[in-house]
Amino acid sequence: MTISKKRCALLVSAVIVTAVYAGYFLVCASPSGPIEAAEVGPQPAGSIAPFEEALTFARLGAAGGSETLLLVTGEAEDAVVGIDLAPLLDGQAGDAFDAIRRLGRPALVELARNPAGMARRYGFEQLMPAAQGEDHIAFGTNFADHGEEVNNEGVFAFPKFARPTAALGAFGVDAEAGLFDYEVELCMRFDRDIRSIGDFDAALKGVFLCGDFTDRAALLRNLPDEDQLSGLGFSDAKSGQGRMPTGPYLVVPEDWRRFVAEEAIATVRNGTPMQSSSGAEMILDFRQMAGFVLEAGDAARWVFEGRPVPLTADGVIREGTVLLSGTPAGILFRPPTEREIGCGAVAYVCLAGFLSVASPRDYVIERAIERDLESRRFLQPGDRVEHSSSRLGRIAIAMIAAPRE
């Protein structure tokens, strides 16, 4: 019996297609390996910084929306112990930087040592965010171990648009459509506009603890095809209400470099330690971060809500703008692996006529999002995220269900 050339070609094609599909299912249909957790060190035991090394302040909310400034002298159970500085500031609420300029650091150190009956206890729930404003500048993969876990070696920056919220609170997550993740960060703000490195060196600097909540689904869909170190896509994923909780304290060190390097930060999710590191592990310190921003100027190279935006208007780090340090390893997000990318490309070629996505890249991203939504390993309603530090206080946020639109 002879087989025609046409039938032979069809048979060969069928064998090849069968082999391709068999290879796909053998290599791709089996689940990926488990995501490796970061190696988590000890959690910091929090305390107030020694007065000679740093002064600790807190903003206290009061009835009617008013506030006052506290010089923090200690902690007691679920309360902060501090001195209301309003009587010493002509009855004004003031700011930590105002207090240092007007009263002088030595006088404040002496007052903290010898409060002369002026210290009172205040509930942590009364304390307000350590920063204000909505335009801030965040850095990514500024801790080498975090860069390794997300396959992104190199530091980048992006604008973050979020009004800081208090250390105790709740954050709404939509676990059916979003992949919400946490980060713990060190943050810094200044007593003046920073137009040059000279301004940075001359400025009073306040250090505080920050949290950062990210929708990784939004991030994946907005990342550029190439040059992920551009920071594009991050502003949309990390901006918005509740995505920037802060610790209760603004700490003004005598030696900011030493203070930041020695500061330990950590994250616990539902009682399980997830992150632990220190400022010494940062690749760029805050002075280098400021230099990065000043060099970028006001070029609108980033995108937020579909419009081009700069890191900072006029190339100036405005008073009140916060620099966020980036986070150590231990977050929930992992980008698609090379295997997933390759398998996704094969699947797209084989199934292109049946898919609604426009490219192999989109197919891989949507499959990764679908996989992570099904796993429910990202933040869920009922979760509790706690960020802690050695001398900057703590943040405790309960996850609640976000209202569906």
Side-chain angles (χ1 to χ4, degrees):
M1 182 178 67
T2 59
I3 301 175
S4 69
K5 291 183 179 180
K6 183 176 181 181
R7 291 182 64 189
C8 183
L10 289 173
L11 181 61
V12 170
S13 297
V15 170
I16 292 173
V17 169
T18 301
V20 168
Y21 272 100
Y24 172 79
F25 282 107
L26 284 172
V27 176
C28 301
S30 59
S32 299
I35 292 174
E36 295 184 5
E39 206 171 296
V40 182
Q43 305 295 290
S47 63
I48 301 301
F51 307 132
E52 298 79 9
E53 295 180 15
L55 292 169
T56 301
F57 299 88
R59 295 166 56 223
L60 178 70
S66 62
E67 63 179 80
T68 191
L69 181 68
L70 298 180
L71 175 62
V72 178
T73 60
E75 294 179 344
E77 297 179 356
D78 291 329
V80 62
V81 179
I83 299 168
D84 184 350
L85 293 178
L88 304 178
L89 297 171
D90 303 324
Q92 300 177 6
D95 180 85
F97 301 134
D98 296 328
I100 292 174
R101 282 192 296 260
R102 293 174 62 181
L103 303 176
R105 187 183 287 269
L108 287 167
V109 169
E110 182 59 29
L111 179 62
R113 282 178 179 162
N114 302 291
M118 297 175 65
R120 299 284 186 273
R121 290 175 59 165
Y122 304 91
F124 279 118
E125 71 279 358
Q126 295 178 263
L127 302 184
M128 301 176 71
Q132 302 179 69
E134 295 185 5
D135 299 350
H136 309 293
I137 303 163
F139 282 77
T141 53
N142 194 30
F143 286 72
D145 58 356
H146 173 51
E148 290 173 6
E149 76 176 350
V150 296
N151 301 321
N152 209 9
E153 297 181 9
V155 182
F156 60 94
F158 56 92
K160 180 178 175 75
F161 303 100
R163 181 169 291 278
T165 52
L168 303 181
F171 178 66
V173 296
D174 181 354
E176 301 301 320
L179 304 174
F180 289 92
D181 204 349
Y182 54 75
E183 293 183 6
V184 63
E185 311 208 12
L186 290 166
C187 290
M188 179 178 282
R189 65 179 179 90
F190 312 96
D191 72 334
R192 67 193 70 192
D193 291 348
I194 306 299
R195 300 174 181 275
S196 67
I197 287 297
D199 288 335
F200 177 94
D201 292 337
L204 288 173
K205 303 165 186 68
V207 182
F208 55 102
L209 187 67
C210 281
D212 176 276
F213 291 116
T214 309
D215 182 356
R216 300 294 182 180
L219 177 61
L220 281 170
R221 289 177 175 133
N222 286 290
L223 279 175
D225 291 340
E226 299 178 354
D227 191 15
Q228 294 186 13
L229 294 179
S230 67
L232 292 172
F234 283 79
S235 295
D236 285 300
K238 290 175 171 284
S239 298
Q241 178 62 31
R243 300 196 184 191
M244 187 179 168
T246 75
Y249 306 138
L250 182 74
V251 180
V252 185
E254 182 72 34
D255 180 343
W256 71 267
R257 272 198 180 90
R258 177 181 172 185
F259 183 92
V260 168
E262 294 176 351
E263 189 64 15
I265 55 176
T267 298
V268 169
R269 178 192 184 187
N270 299 333
T272 300
M274 303 299 292
Q275 294 182 286
S276 180
S277 191
S278 73
E281 300 302 315
M282 289 159 51
I283 297 170
L284 300 184
D285 67 19
F286 281 106
R287 189 176 191 271
Q288 292 168 314
M289 290 182 223
F292 185 110
V293 176
L294 294 171
E295 185 175 343
D298 60 355
R301 299 205 302 262
W302 292 264
V303 176
F304 177 61
E305 295 183 341
R307 70 181 191 275
V309 293
L311 267 184
T312 181
D314 304 322
V316 177
I317 304 172
R318 297 292 177 187
E319 180 182 352
T321 294
V322 175
L323 297 185
L324 294 88
S325 69
T327 197
I331 64 167
L332 303 173
F333 174 71
R334 297 292 185 276
T337 64
E338 290 185 7
R339 170 191 165 188
E340 289 169 328
I341 293 170
C343 290
V346 171
Y348 180 83
V349 171
C350 295
L351 304 173
F354 305 95
L355 300 176
S356 59
V357 295
S359 68
R361 176 182 179 276
D362 290 344
Y363 178 78
V364 170
I365 287 172
E366 294 305 321
R367 285 289 297 161
I369 291 172
E370 181 182 344
R371 171 203 66 194
D372 285 334
L373 286 172
E374 290 175 354
S375 74
R376 305 190 75 81
R377 66 184 187 84
F378 281 80
L379 294 176
Q380 305 290 314
D383 284 356
R384 181 178 175 85
V385 173
E386 297 178 83
H387 302 307
S388 60
S389 63
S390 46
R391 293 164 295 178
L392 301 174
R394 62 187 178 89
I395 298 169
I397 306 295
M399 302 299 116
I400 60 174
R404 301 299 297 271
E405 296 181 357

